[in-house]
Amino acid sequence: MEYKSEEEFLKHYDPNQFERLSLTTDILLFSVADGVQENYRKLNKKYFSVLLIKRDTYPFKGKWCLPGGFIRMDETTDEASKRILKDETNLEDIYLEQLYTFSAVDRDPRMRVISTAYMSLVDKNCLHHNLVQNASWFHIHTLEDGDTIKVFLENGEEQLTFEVKKHLKEITTAHYEYEIVNNECLAFDHALTMVMGMERLKNKIEYTDIVFHMMPRYFTLGELQQVYEIILGKKLLDPAFRRMISNKVRKTDKMKTGGGHRPSALFEYIHQPK
Amino acid sequence: MEYKSEEEFLKHYDPNQFERLSLTTDILLFSVADGVQENYRKLNKKYFSVLLIKRDTYPFKGKWCLPGGFIRMDETTDEASKRILKDETNLEDIYLEQLYTFSAVDRDPRMRVISTAYMSLVDKNCLHHNLVQNASWFHIHTLEDGDTIKVFLENGEEQLTFEVKKHLKEITTAHYEYEIVNNECLAFDHALTMVMGMERLKNKIEYTDIVFHMMPRYFTLGELQQVYEIILGKKLLDPAFRRMISNKVRKTDKMKTGGGHRPSALFEYIHQPK
DNA sequence: CTAATAGTGTCTATTAGACAGTATGTT
DNA sequence: AACATACTGTCTAATAGACACTATTAG
């Protein structure tokens, strides 16, 4: 059929000539939580943490999943992720970035659903925010053994474990594909989302100032270093660390005392254009 | 309604309870093309290039767009992008990575369509590959003026121009959002896709070996340097450049002669794990 | 010989790694 | 006093920027 104009074409267009599918967004919300203090002198141990929601409906009833939901016809994926984050965690105006679009054909047993995942970060004070029913923060502990990553999740009541295998897909960019090899706890393909998010954060912390979304307004350099060390999974040397962050922070006149050791200055983030 | 099992739930599930939409994939195929030789001594001038397709159907009839198409119900976005790339360019087994998912509500005038864009790279020899009807390589020239990027496209017959404005969306990660402010030539939001892809490539060339997807098997260091300079948009110093790539390439015993100047050794890519 | 690119040597400035040391609070 | 962390000084190694120089070919 021949149309004389764009308008005429659009008037006759049948949106159902292609099979349609559903799009969801899942939100990987990370933070670094304070653990218990071992003794009065030591710093609080910190834990890399993720927010999960226990499913009380099918599919995957009883399993844990990332906050997520269907994208509406009148909103973008950015808007949907903001809305869902607010609905499911009561958190607003926090860091949110598009992570990856997952499209395995059988990733949802109900029907064909493609999901655009987002990564979100909050500081530890947001952990005490009013959570909705069934939501819970889990401490993350990972163990990398060759090309498999074991992830342990723990929220004080439950312990979850899953295992993901890395496959080098592209050598020049060191791009890995992940495969779930063991997963009794997380719904859908959220184990993959989580591993990809952790890798993304690990990379971005090195070449951006993203870490400050996980810090409160004022923090000590020791606390900041702890956060870097937890995300990177390795110890850093003090002088090198302080040199590295010296142009990202400003010393305030506030101090943190009461630690059983020399008080430390509180710093705040300043943005330094490259 | 209460279900006794996952199976029972799935048997009764109605996929139409949520409004459904369509998903497409668009492929940003980049290369670096040889230009004409100004004189017998000089190296060929190189041009950063992108493949566009002239639309012969509505919507956007007569405008240029990226190769793309609808995702089928039985394939992932990765598979769809591979299939479409082959259908529309005859190219197979080349570099392809997921770039971004674009979801503006009105990005397609026909209906709600969300698109997951991919970036793809080929070396200059692939430019002479059999192209399908209506496909054409365009040289890209960009001009950055404050927060607006002007892009000039040229294929020997037509000259296209569009203009995109950068908005700093997030300060800690220097994440920009792009807005089309002037575009008479490209269909849909493909101007945004193109600008995002160029930025991604510019970043990745600095910290990965991705550039070698744009190089033939054997190349001289001068040619390699030209490619870096075109993508980065700046001149590099020879000794620094050679140091930088020295652990990514191996000198072969082949030489390139006939250039009206000292012959140069041909190198090939070797992967060096970090 | 000349123009053009190929390729190297070297000096300097900056950055990164490592270690050792001093400072200062709480109990 | 002892412990734990805060914070700094300094040596060295590695890397990056800059410039100058030599080498080699087609025409």
Side-chain angles (χ1 to χ4, degrees):
Chain A
M1 180 161 175
E2 272 300 311
Y3 302 103
K4 292 211 179 64
S5 72
E6 183 109 356
E7 279 147 26
E8 194 192 318
F9 160 80
L10 290 173
K11 209 168 67 188
H12 292 91
Y13 187 80
D14 171 21
N16 295 310
Q17 64 178 289
F18 295 99
E19 241 181 319
R20 311 190 87 193
L21 36 75
S22 294
L23 197 68
T24 60
T25 181
D26 295 309
I27 296 143
L28 196 48
L29 176 56
F30 286 135
S31 193
V32 173
D34 274 336
V36 286
Q37 211 174 13
E38 275 180 48
N39 84 44
Y40 80 98
R41 285 188 197 282
K42 285 200 171 177
L43 284 179
N44 280 322
K45 201 170 148 92
K46 297 268 194 304
Y47 293 96
F48 188 39
S49 304
V50 64
L51 186 101
L52 296 177
I53 289 179
K54 190 162 199 159
R55 294 184 63 83
D56 56 5
T57 58
Y58 291 109
F60 298 106
K61 190 169 170 175
K63 306 231 165 174
W64 293 86
C65 72
L66 301 177
F70 286 91
I71 283 155
R72 293 187 184 150
M73 295 304 274
D74 60 351
E75 66 184 1
T76 62
T77 52
D78 279 23
E79 288 159 359
S81 57
K82 264 186 211 153
R83 169 178 60 79
I84 289 163
L85 192 61
K86 194 184 169 193
D87 285 355
E88 304 213 6
T89 66
N90 289 314
L91 290 164
E92 273 183 276
D93 301 321
I94 61 173
Y95 182 78
L96 202 57
E97 77 167 64
Q98 197 186 101
L99 178 63
Y100 194 76
T101 296
F102 293 90
S103 63
V105 171
D106 57 356
R107 57 177 296 288
D108 190 313
R110 292 169 291 189
M111 55 179 172
R112 184 76 199 277
V113 179
I114 288 176
S115 180
T116 297
Y118 279 72
M119 181 172 77
S120 191
L121 304 175
V122 291
D123 74 81
K124 59 182 181 182
N125 296 323
C126 297
L127 294 171
H128 314 298
H129 221 263
N130 296 330
L131 288 180
V132 295
Q133 185 81 43
N134 295 330
S136 172
W137 285 98
F138 281 75
H139 294 171
I140 307 174
H141 179 71
T142 62
L143 196 69
E144 214 163 329
D145 172 24
D147 56 355
T148 65
I149 305 172
K150 276 188 188 157
V151 180
F152 303 91
L153 301 164
E154 188 266 313
N155 74 341
E157 293 175 4
E158 279 189 70
Q159 293 197 351
L160 315 174
T161 312
F162 66 84
E163 212 173 315
V164 165
K165 201 167 170 184
K166 293 167 76 168
H167 300 278
L168 183 59
K169 198 190 171 191
E170 214 288 305
I171 200 166
T172 71
T173 54
H175 174 65
Y176 289 92
E177 221 167 47
Y178 300 95
E179 178 201 2
I180 299 172
V181 289
N182 217 318
N183 171 36
E184 290 298 312
C185 52
L186 291 193
F188 304 105
D189 51 3
H190 292 178
L192 296 182
T193 314
M194 223 166 118
V195 173
M196 274 189 74
M198 291 190 286
E199 296 284 324
R200 174 86 132 249
L201 184 57
K202 210 187 265 194
N203 284 327
K204 271 207 162 158
I205 204 175
E206 300 248 39
Y207 67 92
T208 71
D209 298 350
I210 199 172
V211 71
F212 295 102
H213 292 289
M214 308 179 92
M215 302 304 295
R217 173 81 193 270
Y218 300 108
F219 49 82
T220 69
L221 296 187
E223 289 166 344
L224 183 59
Q225 190 170 342
Q226 279 186 310
V227 174
Y228 268 92
E229 289 177 342
I230 281 192
I231 307 243
L232 293 174
K234 65 178 180 198
K235 285 279 166 204
L236 303 173
L237 293 170
D238 294 12
F241 175 75
R242 278 158 189 262
R243 270 194 305 240
M244 186 265 287
I245 50 107
S246 61
N247 63 340
K248 303 177 195 288
V249 296
R250 172 172 42 216
K251 195 180 200 163
T252 67
D253 52 8
K254 300 180 179 60
M255 297 290 281
K256 186 180 180 183
T257 54
H261 49 75
R262 178 170 170 181
S264 54
L266 286 166
F267 288 74
E268 61 184 345
Y269 172 61
I270 48 160
H271 176 70
Q272 203 79 274
K274 292 268 160 75
Chain B
M1 182 160 171
E2 273 299 310
Y3 301 103
K4 292 211 180 65
S5 72
E6 184 108 355
E7 279 150 26
E8 195 192 318
F9 160 81
L10 290 173
K11 210 167 67 188
H12 292 92
Y13 186 79
D14 170 21
N16 295 310
Q17 64 177 289
F18 295 99
E19 241 181 320
R20 315 190 84 192
L21 34 76
S22 294
L23 198 68
T24 59
T25 180
D26 295 309
I27 297 142
L28 194 49
L29 176 57
F30 285 135
S31 193
V32 172
D34 274 335
V36 287
Q37 212 174 9
E38 274 180 48
N39 85 41
Y40 80 98
R41 286 188 199 281
K42 285 200 170 176
L43 283 179
N44 280 321
K45 201 170 148 88
K46 297 272 196 301
Y47 293 95
F48 188 40
S49 305
V50 65
L51 187 102
L52 296 177
I53 288 177
K54 189 162 200 159
R55 295 184 62 82
D56 57 3
T57 58
Y58 290 109
F60 298 106
K61 189 171 171 176
K63 307 232 165 175
W64 292 87
C65 72
L66 301 177
F70 287 92
I71 283 156
R72 295 188 183 149
M73 295 303 274
D74 61 351
E75 66 184 1
T76 63
T77 53
D78 278 22
E79 288 159 358
S81 57
K82 263 187 212 154
R83 170 178 60 79
I84 289 162
L85 192 62
K86 194 184 169 192
D87 285 354
E88 304 213 4
T89 67
N90 289 315
L91 289 165
E92 273 182 278
D93 300 322
I94 61 173
Y95 182 77
L96 201 58
E97 77 167 66
Q98 197 186 100
L99 179 64
Y100 194 76
T101 295
F102 293 89
S103 63
V105 171
D106 57 356
R107 57 178 295 287
D108 189 315
R110 292 170 291 188
M111 55 178 173
R112 185 76 200 276
V113 180
I114 288 178
S115 180
T116 298
Y118 279 72
M119 180 173 77
S120 190
L121 304 175
V122 291
D123 73 83
K124 60 182 180 181
N125 296 322
C126 296
L127 295 171
H128 313 299
H129 221 262
N130 296 330
L131 287 181
V132 294
Q133 185 81 43
N134 295 329
S136 173
W137 284 97
F138 281 75
H139 294 173
I140 307 175
H141 179 70
T142 63
L143 196 67
E144 216 163 328
D145 172 23
D147 57 355
T148 64
I149 305 172
K150 277 189 186 153
V151 181
F152 304 92
L153 300 163
E154 188 265 312
N155 75 340
E157 294 175 3
E158 280 190 69
Q159 292 196 351
L160 315 175
T161 313
F162 65 84
E163 214 173 314
V164 165
K165 202 167 169 184
K166 292 167 77 169
H167 300 278
L168 183 59
K169 198 191 172 189
E170 214 287 307
I171 200 166
T172 70
T173 55
H175 174 65
Y176 289 91
E177 221 166 46
Y178 300 94
E179 179 200 2
I180 299 172
V181 288
N182 216 318
N183 171 36
E184 290 298 313
C185 54
L186 291 192
F188 306 103
D189 51 3
H190 292 178
L192 297 182
T193 314
M194 224 166 114
V195 174
M196 276 189 73
M198 290 191 287
E199 296 285 323
R200 173 87 133 249
L201 184 57
K202 211 186 263 192
N203 285 328
K204 272 208 162 161
I205 204 175
E206 300 249 39
Y207 66 92
T208 71
D209 298 349
I210 199 172
V211 70
F212 295 103
H213 292 289
M214 309 179 90
M215 301 306 294
R217 172 81 193 269
Y218 301 106
F219 48 83
T220 69
L221 296 187
E223 290 166 343
L224 183 59
Q225 189 171 342
Q226 278 185 311
V227 174
Y228 268 93
E229 288 177 345
I230 281 195
I231 306 240
L232 293 173
K234 66 178 180 198
K235 286 278 166 204
L236 303 174
L237 293 170
D238 294 11
F241 175 75
R242 277 157 190 262
R243 271 196 301 242
M244 184 266 287
I245 50 108
S246 62
N247 63 340
K248 302 179 195 290
V249 297
R250 171 173 41 214
K251 194 181 202 164
T252 68
D253 51 10
K254 300 180 179 58
M255 298 290 282
K256 187 181 178 183
T257 55
H261 48 76
R262 176 170 169 181
S264 55
L266 287 166
F267 288 74
E268 60 185 344
Y269 172 61
I270 49 160
H271 176 69
Q272 204 79 274
K274 292 269 159 73

